[in-house]
Amino acid sequence: LSAVVYFGPSLFLLGVVGPLAVRLAVPDFGHVGRSVGSVWACSAAGSIVGALATGFLLLPKWPVRRICCATAKLLLALAIVRRLARHGSRRSAASAGLAALGLGWIPLGMGPSFPLPAEDGFRVVAERPSFSGTIRVVESERLRYLLIDGSVQTMQTKGGYPIFPYAWTLGLLPYLRPDGKDLLMIGLGGGETVKLFSRYGIRTTAVEVDPAVAETARAHFGLPEEGFQLVVDDGRRYLRRDQQV
């Protein structure tokens, strides 16, 4: 439900772009086939370039949040460019195009990003490659971060207290479901959720696809060796196989 609420409206609006682009590109019904083919050819080429650029250029350098913000701003600015190009002057459209490039680039070039080991007191404590990406443990004066390809997975104080609000929100579950004694968690991260529910005596099974993540959580984020069950497996495969879930 939360995924539908968060992504439904934007995906719906992106889905209507194709038909609208075809409608704008078709001068008359005699050129429908050629116009549709051109639109979908450009769409396919953009998808290929976007997938390659995201995987090989953007994700290794910037957090996912900044990439999403830049993409959203670029889409909005390009819509303004199209509007001006159709109803205004070419000069206005060109000015808006330059503004679009600048507006989309701002989230990638300004503000703090992770990791920044050479700036603001950040330093890389550990770094290792894995099949899910480059895993880094980054510390500041007060906080410790677990990052995978620049995306923050866990953020906590050096004393082990989680910073992300969702971790404390999950702490309400034992009060909402006091008779619950078992918890299945897909994805381990730094293990802060495991430690949180262990305080309530809840038997936790954590399914993590990457063993390097679990090893990093134990070495740097205080994940205990006992008190929960760790399963190194793909979460979808585990759900299909385990009949008790």
Side-chain angles (χ1 to χ4, degrees):
L1 179 60
S2 59
V4 173
V5 172
Y6 277 112
F7 299 109
S10 57
L11 291 177
F12 172 79
L13 293 175
L14 287 174
V16 304
V17 169
L20 289 176
V22 170
R23 178 65 184 87
L24 293 173
V26 175
D28 54 69
F29 288 107
H31 298 82
V32 172
R34 182 176 181 179
S35 299
V36 171
S38 299
V39 169
W40 291 117
C42 292
S43 176
S47 298
I48 294 172
V49 173
L52 293 175
T54 301
F56 291 99
L57 298 178
L58 299 181
L59 286 176
K61 191 171 183 180
W62 292 295
V64 174
R65 176 178 57 85
R66 289 195 168 190
I67 297 173
C68 291
C69 288
T71 302
K73 289 187 176 184
L74 278 174
L75 289 173
L76 178 61
L78 290 174
I80 297 174
V81 170
R82 172 60 188 174
R83 181 72 176 178
L84 290 176
R86 188 176 184 184
H87 299 284
S89 64
R90 292 185 176 180
R91 187 173 182 178
S92 298
S95 300
L98 294 176
L101 292 176
L103 186 64
W105 190 255
I106 284 176
L108 300 180
M110 296 181 63
S113 62
F114 303 102
L116 289 177
E119 301 178 25
D120 300 329
F122 288 92
R123 66 188 185 94
V124 177
V125 177
E127 179 176 350
R128 62 182 297 181
S130 75
F131 67 84
S132 61
T134 301
I135 299 175
R136 292 186 179 93
V137 179
V138 179
E139 283 187 353
S140 65
E141 182 178 351
R142 297 179 298 108
L143 302 177
R144 180 173 294 150
Y145 306 85
L146 172 65
L147 303 100
I148 299 179
D149 278 346
S151 178
V152 180
Q153 306 295 316
T154 296
M155 180 169 58
Q156 64 181 34
T157 66
K158 290 185 177 180
Y161 293 96
I163 300 299
F164 283 140
Y166 80 86
W168 296 108
T169 303
L170 289 175
L172 298 175
L173 290 178
Y175 299 98
L176 298 175
R177 185 71 180 275
D179 57 333
K181 299 301 179 183
D182 295 279
L183 172 71
L184 174 63
M185 185 172 65
I186 307 298
L188 179 64
E192 55 189 8
T193 306
V194 170
K195 293 186 291 182
L196 176 65
F197 282 102
S198 66
R199 303 172 187 173
Y200 300 97
I202 295 176
R203 297 182 295 269
T204 302
T205 299
V207 183
E208 171 59 51
V209 69
D210 191 346
V213 171
E215 294 170 7
T216 302
R218 285 198 171 108
H220 299 281
F221 292 90
L223 181 68
E225 293 285 346
E226 300 177 349
F228 77 105
Q229 181 183 7
L230 174 63
V231 179
V232 179
D233 197 359
D234 181 86
R236 293 166 298 182
R237 185 167 55 224
Y238 179 86
L239 291 173
R240 288 194 297 265
R241 186 177 62 247
D242 195 326
Q243 301 299 320
Q244 297 181 352
V245 178

